[in-house]
Amino acid sequence: MLTDAYVTGMGVISAIGRSVGENLHALLHKQSGITAVAAGPGKEAVMAGRVAFDDATLARDLGFSRLPVSRTSLLGMTAALEAWGDNRHIPGLKTGLIASTSVGGMDKSEVFYDDFLAGRPADYGVLVCHDSGTTSETIAEFLGISGYVNTISTACSSGANAIMLGARLLRSGRLDRVLVGGSDALTRFTINGFESLMIYDSEWTRPFDEARKGLNLGEGAAFLLMESEKSFQVTGNRPLGRVRGWGNAADAYHQTASSPEGKGATLAIAEAIRTAGLTPADISYVNAHGTGTPNNDLSESVALKNVFGASVPFFSSTKAFTGHTLAAAGAIEAVYSLLAIKEGMIWPNLNFAEAIRDTGLVPVTEPGKCTVDAVLSNSFGFGGNNSSLVFTL
Amino acid sequence: MKSRVFINGASTISHQPTFGEKGFSGSIARLEKGSEPLQPAYRDYIDPVMLRRMSRILRMGVTSAAQALRQAGVSSPSGIIVGTGLGCLQDTEKFLSNFLTLEGLIPPTAFILSTHNTVAGQISLSLGCHSYNITHTQNTVSFEMALLDGMMRLEESGGDVLVGAADEHIPFLDRLAAEWGYDNSVLTSGVSFFVLSDTASETTLAEVLDVDVFTGAGGDRKKITDSFLARHGLDRNEVDMVLRAGRQPGEDREFEGATVDYTELCGLYPTASGFAFHYGADFLEPAGTNKKVLIVNELNPLNLGLILLKGFEA
């Protein structure tokens, strides 16, 4: 008998709020968190989804005083603590943590490197935050979790891959419960990076719109507490939903661009639905990757048509609320997917006006009441890393 | 259902004659300061157009992966699973330096190649392989995390998976080590790739019995190691060779078998246990079925990696 991965806790911090409740409120009321954000000395402000609290406030509210600490860790600790809630460590329940990040402590490293290059006195001490594994170790230590603590880094699909790995570890019996998620801070490194690729929209991002120009970056973190049946019978927690299916496939087309025929995405989506034991017709809602870049949204639309044919389910991208939060995106959108099931709601795709001509797909643009049984969530990243998850009650 | 796991291809690029060689474990000596990794003829493995853009970690990674697959006679594995402690440092440093110093348009190439999953992505690209593709980055146990994932994939669906370890050195690391008061170590680059399969073949070097990790404070390392061995009905005296990192000389007397500090052979990098894995398999290949190798990775004292290998005879 295979063990399912039951979600019994969720936590999220993003540009639209510092709790699941605040994020839900913004989704229901179409309140985007994207604003003009300072992007470094000598640079114009960029449109981005910044979390409204500075590092000192986040640390203070967590009661965390050890320095140095990266913003990526602080965001992660905030979301992980909400997901963990008042759970306790129980001997006999093997508890792990899998976080994911693409920038790690780059928010600190880039300040160091600026000083270093300019020949100013530079604080080498902050570089202990740099590597991505330290982000997870910091979050795990904060919650008193040790043993299996791991970090996934597959660019923009990292969060989804962390959830997938957690579900597999539960299924294999290696863990009984596991916190899974992702965290990324806004950095000059990534803002300049996406600008250099000419896919950073200087205005509001417009996912799935014919006139879309690119993404807006965001920052944030989200975690799910996943338990096996054995575990929640001990903890007494009530399942909010299940991670039911997963697929990970490589596009093997280009280091950053997605293939025009959406090969990797199609494989990942089909695999996620198959492993969930469902058929495409069972999917009520698709929370799309939908970054707002010309390339992703076209390729993803083609993949949706490949899998669903003429009956593409209700779909939307929530990136115009939060910005693209990179490694956190798959985790934040997992929370939104589970909220869709719990609330019986489909989240709107903001800033949409006209369908992409080649595919004609129209996303949901108003929050809509609807029975949501199964949600497909897509996350695609650099390196041709395509991952999809299926959530059910 | 646990399946058996065989190492059917192994390739390492290091300071030692490991690339495409057999029997190196019996002959190699401690690294001298100032030695450099032995670079294979990358052109034999990588398209010249791709090669020009590739940093050291990418060249080493794609080449080592290709060679391991050739040895095993596998053209498209059912998973590409990479562990890296620090990722693509050369391109990360280059892009940092570019956007901090250049005016106007910044070339995107270094950014594109800077993400941790570039090695795994470039391997999938070079093979045209659409399989499961993932990158683990957990400091000094990144390779063990990748190996555990690979073994789970074999339990789930069998086949052949490619599991690797990759880290690259940049000169800045030496400066950092000096600032942090770590010296006398050879900080370097190293890459290893392995084809693991649920089926033995004529190229099988050894069998992987188990892998486990313990991250974070609070665990009794001796107890964890003992119960890891006990899962296979073994105690400390029944291991023929212990490959370890992160212990001071004199702390090693707890094992009766031969103990080798593998970082003295391959230098220091976060995924050096990938080298140890190859070294252990190379030692076991001619040694026969009764021999066992234990890899104890405490390169970072907070993270414990354990791997148990066993000899194999067809």
Side-chain angles (χ1 to χ4, degrees):
Chain A
M1 174 64 194
L2 293 173
T3 309
D4 274 330
Y6 293 88
V7 178
T8 59
M10 303 194 286
V12 58
I13 180 167
S14 74
I16 58 170
R18 185 164 57 159
S19 66
V20 172
E22 286 184 17
N23 276 259
L24 174 61
H25 184 271
L27 289 170
L28 285 168
H29 294 85
K30 296 178 72 175
Q31 291 163 348
S32 170
I34 295 172
T35 54
V37 167
K43 264 184 76 75
E44 281 183 34
V46 296
M47 296 299 282
R50 195 179 165 280
V51 166
F53 305 93
D54 65 13
D55 290 8
T57 307
L58 292 172
R60 187 200 64 207
D61 292 353
L62 288 163
F64 186 85
S65 56
R66 198 176 69 205
L67 291 173
V69 61
S70 69
R71 185 165 175 81
T72 308
S73 291
L74 290 169
L75 293 168
M77 281 187 269
T78 303
L81 181 63
E82 187 189 7
W84 181 247
D86 47 18
N87 277 285
R88 289 152 192 255
H89 296 284
I90 298 170
L93 282 188
K94 286 172 287 177
T95 306
L97 182 138
I98 307 166
S100 59
T101 177
S102 65
V103 302
M106 181 57 83
D107 59 306
K108 291 276 176 286
S109 303
E110 65 189 15
V111 173
F112 163 85
Y113 212 73
D114 200 6
D115 290 336
F116 173 76
L117 281 180
R120 293 187 292 264
D123 179 5
Y124 284 83
V126 301
L127 296 178
V128 298
C129 307
H130 177 81
D131 71 274
S132 302
T134 298
T135 306
S136 315
E137 286 170 16
T138 305
I139 300 167
E141 190 190 346
F142 175 65
L143 293 172
I145 294 172
S146 59
Y148 187 93
V149 176
N150 192 9
T151 311
I152 296 296
S153 195
T154 57
C156 312
S157 63
S158 305
N161 281 325
I163 294 170
M164 185 181 314
L165 179 62
R168 290 170 54 223
L169 281 158
L170 292 185
R171 190 166 272 194
S172 79
R174 285 180 170 84
L175 292 176
D176 302 311
R177 57 180 176 169
V178 57
L179 271 168
V180 289
S183 178
D184 260 329
L186 268 177
T187 63
R188 292 163 68 194
F189 189 93
T190 42
I191 291 170
N192 280 280
F194 286 101
E195 282 184 345
S196 77
L197 282 162
M198 312 274 191
I199 52 172
Y200 202 114
D201 196 336
S202 58
E203 296 172 37
W204 301 96
T205 183
R206 285 166 285 177
F208 292 107
D209 191 278
E210 172 65 20
R212 70 202 178 282
K213 287 222 172 74
L215 52 77
N216 299 152
L217 282 180
E219 65 180 354
F223 276 85
L224 306 178
L225 178 62
M226 298 198 307
E227 300 183 59
S228 66
E229 205 168 322
K230 167 192 161 189
S231 175
F232 76 73
Q233 279 170 359
V234 174
T235 60
N237 291 327
R238 202 171 56 84
L240 304 162
R242 271 183 288 175
V243 181
R244 183 84 172 271
W246 46 82
N248 165 316
D251 201 32
Y253 172 73
H254 184 269
Q255 175 60 25
T256 52
S258 304
S259 59
E261 73 278 15
K263 173 86 177 177
T266 304
L267 289 169
I269 294 169
E271 174 80 358
I273 296 172
R274 189 185 66 76
T275 55
L278 300 176
T279 66
D282 297 320
I283 301 296
S284 326
Y285 164 58
V286 181
N287 186 293
H289 188 52
T291 54
T293 66
N295 176 244
N296 175 80
D297 293 5
L298 178 60
S299 178
E300 186 172 8
S301 297
V302 171
L304 289 174
K305 294 185 90 162
N306 288 344
V307 174
F308 295 101
S311 10
V312 173
F314 293 129
F315 77 97
S316 64
S317 161
T318 46
K319 296 267 191 321
F321 282 95
T322 57
H324 186 0
T325 56
L326 305 178
I332 290 176
E333 288 157 29
V335 171
Y336 296 170
S337 297
L338 287 155
L339 280 176
I341 294 171
K342 186 164 170 273
E343 302 292 322
M345 291 290 297
I346 287 174
W347 312 123
N349 188 110
L350 304 180
N351 308 333
F352 174 86
E354 188 193 346
I356 298 172
R357 260 179 232 125
D358 292 344
T359 55
L361 293 184
V362 177
V364 173
T365 55
E366 290 296 327
K369 216 48 195 160
C370 164
T371 304
V372 182
D373 297 317
V375 179
L376 171 77
S377 177
N378 291 335
S379 297
F380 307 141
F382 276 14
N385 262 114
N386 296 280
S387 293
S388 295
L389 299 170
V390 171
F391 300 93
T392 64
L393 197 59
Chain B
M1 202 358 233
K2 292 223 166 169
S3 55
R4 289 178 73 182
V5 177
F6 302 97
I7 307 169
N8 288 353
S11 176
T12 295
I13 300 174
S14 69
H15 294 239
Q16 306 282 5
T18 47
F19 186 76
E21 300 287 337
K22 285 198 169 184
F24 65 86
S25 60
S27 62
I28 60 176
R30 193 190 161 119
L31 274 197
E32 297 294 332
K33 242 193 152 115
S35 88
E36 284 288 321
L38 302 173
Q39 310 280 330
Y42 294 118
R43 269 167 216 295
D44 296 346
Y45 296 87
I46 304 174
D47 174 74
V49 182
M50 283 175 90
L51 185 59
R52 226 174 300 131
R53 288 179 160 204
M54 284 181 170
S55 62
R56 174 177 273 193
I57 192 174
L58 295 178
R59 293 165 177 227
M60 290 170 77
V62 173
T63 300
S64 164
Q67 208 214 30
L69 290 165
R70 265 186 214 180
Q71 277 175 30
V74 171
S75 56
S76 192
S78 56
I80 296 171
I81 304 164
V82 175
T84 178
L86 287 166
C88 299
L89 282 179
Q90 190 181 314
D91 282 309
T92 300
E93 186 183 43
K94 189 170 171 187
F95 190 71
L96 257 177
S97 165
N98 280 352
F99 84 76
L100 289 169
T101 57
L102 296 182
E103 301 277 335
L105 288 181
I106 304 163
T109 308
F111 178 66
I112 288 172
L113 298 175
S114 71
T115 55
H116 279 58
N117 63 328
T118 311
V119 178
Q122 292 282 322
I123 293 169
S124 74
L125 262 178
S126 69
L127 301 174
C129 173
H130 297 285
S131 308
Y132 179 76
N133 192 290
I134 202 156
T135 301
H136 297 257
T137 176
Q138 195 56 49
N139 283 333
T140 50
V141 289
S142 305
F143 172 67
E144 285 81 351
M145 289 296 187
L147 178 61
L148 179 56
D149 189 353
M151 292 176 69
M152 281 166 57
R153 292 289 301 177
L154 292 179
E155 282 170 23
E156 290 160 1
S157 44
D160 304 285
V161 294
L162 182 69
V163 172
D167 270 296
E168 73 181 338
H169 174 261
I170 52 173
F172 179 79
L173 289 180
D174 295 321
R175 187 168 181 145
L176 182 61
E179 289 285 338
W180 283 358
Y182 303 134
D183 44 10
N184 294 321
S185 345
V186 184
L187 300 179
T188 189
S189 310
V191 162
S192 298
F193 273 86
F194 307 96
V195 176
L196 304 182
S197 173
D198 59 350
T199 318
S201 75
E202 26 186 74
T203 64
T204 300
L205 284 91
E207 187 173 351
V208 190
L209 289 183
D210 210 350
V211 56
D212 211 348
V213 282
F214 190 94
T215 329
D220 178 338
R221 303 302 152 113
K222 192 167 179 298
K223 221 184 235 174
I224 293 169
T225 308
D226 285 339
S227 62
F228 177 77
L229 289 171
R231 295 208 296 242
H232 302 276
L234 296 172
D235 68 34
R236 288 174 173 248
N237 304 328
E238 293 170 289
V239 176
D240 300 280
M241 178 185 274
V242 180
L243 299 171
R244 62 187 324 185
R247 282 296 182 100
Q248 298 303 313
E251 282 184 287
D252 292 337
R253 274 178 239 134
E254 51 200 87
F255 292 101
E256 278 186 11
T259 300
V260 176
D261 179 348
Y262 57 85
T263 60
E264 292 185 349
L265 303 173
C266 65
L268 277 185
Y269 53 99
T271 48
S273 54
F275 176 94
F277 190 82
H278 193 173
Y279 184 95
D282 183 76
F283 165 79
L284 287 169
E285 196 193 6
T289 43
N290 294 322
K291 302 280 183 190
K292 277 148 206 116
V293 169
L294 176 68
I295 303 169
V296 184
N297 169 11
E298 291 178 284
L299 194 52
N300 173 341
L302 273 181
N303 297 328
L304 171 67
L306 295 167
I307 299 171
L308 186 60
L309 301 176
K310 180 177 179 283
F312 174 78
E313 264 170 56

